[in-house]
Amino acid sequence: MLNFDMYMPARIVFGADTEKKIGELIKPYTKKVLLHYGGGSIKRTGLYDTVVKSLSDNNIDFVELGGVVPNPRLSLVHEGIKLCRDENVDLILAVGGGSAIDSAKAIAMGVYYDGDVWDMYEKRLPINKALPVAIILTIPAAGSESSGDTVISNEETGRKYGYGSPHLRPLISVMNPELFFTLPKNQIANGVADMMSHIFERYFTNTVNVDLTDGLCETTLRTIISNAPKLLENPEDYNAWAEIGFAGTVAHNGLLGMGREQDWACHNMEHELSAAYDVAHGAGLAVLTPAWMKYVYKDNIEMFAQFAINVMGVSKGLRDKEALVNEAIARLQEFYRRMGLPQTLEELGIDDSRLEEMAQKCTGFYYKQEGKIGGLKKLDWQDVLKIYKLAQ
Ligand code: NZQ
Ligand code: ZN
């Protein structure tokens, strides 16, 4: 096990009707809130009215900024920073999924920075302050409700970058599984693929003597795999949503990666797809993950055999590890297919015209800053290109 520093202080308020308490929960921390949300689902579902009522019942003043799109844009972040400064906002309430939350975090740190907040993403400048961010989660997927991370797309440069800081850990995240009932099937599936990937990125490692986190990763993955299909049958299955919602948070709050070398190659490769083609993050991951597995498993076949047995339930032919692993990857692909997720880049609308460019951008080669990505196997841009081709 590697040395680690574990700090994961996000407060998660979980359960039915918890969103009605949002005003009460944030009242000790705020006089004026920026209510930040996406393209309108919260208005259609009535959640917007619930939130506004809870704020006004608690005499909390607010201004609002909607319009966050999936793969949230820098231009709206700039608008939000100006609004917060002009209106003396002291807390941001993000109501939505990873996109609204990440946009809120970008605004939260940008308010205290004189330059362009994109500098944080591009130059990795440290921050020592950000406005507090509270959250009502409407889609379990990105895990941003418990992470200190934010991912923003710069529409001018076509780059999508992440940034992390302990100052961006949410103050409070409210999670009511009933709010997930209105999610369309493709978003359910995208979310499931994303949270599974957050576990894979931590699970697949060359680090040994990490039995505890191995087991936590495996249990969380099995919980997702057994509960997700129930949601396609019945999107109002509270208990299945409760399992998936909690799993999504555990997947990305950092615990599962403690003491392990982490990978993150699939996320890096996917961010290029999202930046170039604006595909949904989870859908991109569902296409790339099996291709990545096929490309790297020989570098640590023991790890993949463990995955096959403990997660995918492969029990035959244990002496033939190659067959074991191939069966596990096939089962994972079958699971994604059953969830309605795309299987190929072609299904995502991506042809081969920009694969080389994306591979070179992914490792920095394109910007003359080549650095390998990945943990279990270190990948240069030619490796990434081969994985993209395997996913075609
Ligand atoms: O915009 P609205 O109208 O709200 O619709 C959204 C959006 O179209 C809809 N939706 C959300 N909740 C709903 C709902 N529709 C009906 N009923 C509900 N209850 O779902 C769509 C997707 O929402 P979005 O917030 O984009 O989804 P997600 O949570 O998957 O977030 C994706 C973003 O998170 C980033 C991704 O890169 C991507 O930009 N990530 C953030 C991470 C982090 N901060 O730690 C880590 C992740 O790896 C990921 O990279
Ligand atoms: Zn992700």
Side-chain angles (χ1 to χ4, degrees):
M1 195 181 297
L2 306 177
N3 292 359
F4 63 84
D5 181 341
M6 186 163 91
Y7 178 70
M8 48 183 78
R11 177 177 169 197
I12 311 286
V13 179
F14 176 91
D17 288 337
T18 42
E19 76 281 9
K20 293 182 184 150
K21 295 200 300 190
I22 190 66
E24 204 182 314
L25 288 167
I26 61 176
K27 195 175 172 145
Y29 309 97
T30 183
K31 297 248 172 319
K32 191 163 189 180
V33 164
L34 172 69
L35 176 57
H36 197 40
Y37 54 91
S41 72
I42 70 161
K43 292 203 169 154
R44 287 194 297 279
T45 60
L47 177 58
Y48 176 88
D49 296 332
T50 307
V51 172
V52 168
K53 180 174 184 314
S54 183
L55 293 178
S56 75
D57 286 351
N58 286 278
N59 300 315
I60 299 169
D61 201 3
F62 75 94
V63 287
E64 63 180 81
L65 181 64
V68 183
V69 293
N71 300 320
R73 308 294 198 268
L74 182 63
S75 53
L76 195 74
V77 170
H78 289 152
E79 236 181 275
I81 292 170
K82 181 168 184 319
L83 192 57
C84 286
R85 286 179 182 153
D86 291 349
E87 298 283 340
N88 289 321
V89 162
D90 55 18
L91 182 146
I92 305 176
L93 173 59
V95 183
S99 297
I101 300 168
D102 287 2
S103 182
K105 290 175 177 174
I107 296 168
M109 64 178 164
V111 164
Y112 292 113
Y113 180 60
D114 286 339
D116 186 343
V117 70
W118 186 249
D119 289 347
M120 311 307 174
Y121 296 85
E122 198 163 53
K123 299 179 192 158
R124 314 246 152 239
L125 301 183
I127 58 166
N128 52 27
K129 213 173 172 186
L131 285 177
V133 175
I135 288 159
I136 298 176
L137 188 69
T138 65
I139 169 171
S144 191
E145 72 279 5
S146 68
S147 81
D149 302 329
T150 156
V151 187
I152 294 293
S153 296
N154 181 333
E155 59 270 55
E156 278 178 17
T157 62
R159 294 168 93 163
K160 179 176 178 177
Y161 283 162
Y163 179 79
S165 162
H167 298 285
L168 297 179
R169 291 262 181 191
L171 177 72
I172 297 172
S173 293
V174 168
M175 187 193 296
N176 173 3
E178 291 165 324
L179 299 182
F180 309 149
F181 290 179
T182 53
L183 278 165
K185 287 192 171 155
N186 68 323
Q187 295 299 353
I188 297 176
N190 290 344
V192 163
D194 191 18
M195 62 180 75
M196 287 175 71
S197 177
H198 294 159
I199 305 169
F200 292 149
E201 302 283 22
R202 294 170 166 100
Y203 180 63
F204 289 106
T205 184
N206 297 321
T207 311
V208 291
N209 299 316
V210 282
D211 295 352
L212 175 67
T213 42
D214 273 1
L216 293 173
C217 288
E218 289 161 359
T219 300
T220 315
L221 283 165
R222 286 195 306 266
T223 303
I224 296 168
I225 290 169
S226 63
N227 282 283
K230 296 180 193 168
L231 299 171
L232 298 184
E233 294 292 310
N234 175 15
E236 301 199 359
D237 183 336
Y238 180 92
N239 293 322
W241 270 128
E243 299 285 3
I244 293 288
F246 195 19
T249 290
V250 170
H252 203 41
N253 72 359
L255 174 66
L256 303 187
M258 288 302 143
R260 311 168 74 89
E261 184 189 13
Q262 301 182 24
D263 197 278
W264 297 101
C266 288
H267 266 68
N268 279 303
M269 292 188 291
E270 196 296 310
H271 284 174
E272 293 306 325
L273 304 189
S274 291
Y277 292 93
D278 202 20
V279 302
H281 174 62
L285 288 167
V287 168
L288 292 177
T289 300
W292 172 82
M293 288 180 170
K294 285 174 196 163
Y295 192 73
V296 306
Y297 78 84
K298 289 192 177 127
D299 281 58
N300 189 339
I301 199 157
E302 303 296 330
M303 179 81 241
F304 279 87
Q306 183 178 326
F307 164 70
I309 297 164
N310 290 353
V311 179
M312 300 315 296
V314 186
S315 57
K316 282 192 199 141
L318 299 185
R319 273 176 294 174
D320 182 351
K321 291 213 171 69
E322 288 264 330
L324 194 69
V325 172
N326 284 322
E327 173 64 18
I329 298 172
R331 286 189 190 187
L332 178 66
Q333 276 185 300
E334 173 57 18
F335 170 78
Y336 288 152
R337 198 194 56 73
R338 268 204 299 150
M339 292 299 297
L341 286 157
Q343 307 272 290
T344 61
L345 288 179
E346 194 184 350
E347 283 177 60
L348 287 172
I350 299 175
D351 61 19
D352 57 7
S353 58
R354 296 180 68 185
L355 296 186
E356 191 165 310
E357 174 198 329
M358 288 192 297
Q360 293 187 350
K361 283 183 170 171
C362 184
T363 61
F365 181 86
Y366 188 88
Y367 308 109
K368 305 196 175 2
Q369 298 163 347
E370 172 80 332
K372 292 190 176 185
I373 62 161
L376 185 132
K377 182 178 173 74
K378 311 279 185 270
L379 308 170
D380 60 22
W381 76 264
Q382 283 101 337
D383 294 311
V384 172
L385 181 60
K386 285 178 193 151
I387 294 171
Y388 283 150
K389 287 188 170 165
L390 274 175
Q392 272 185 307

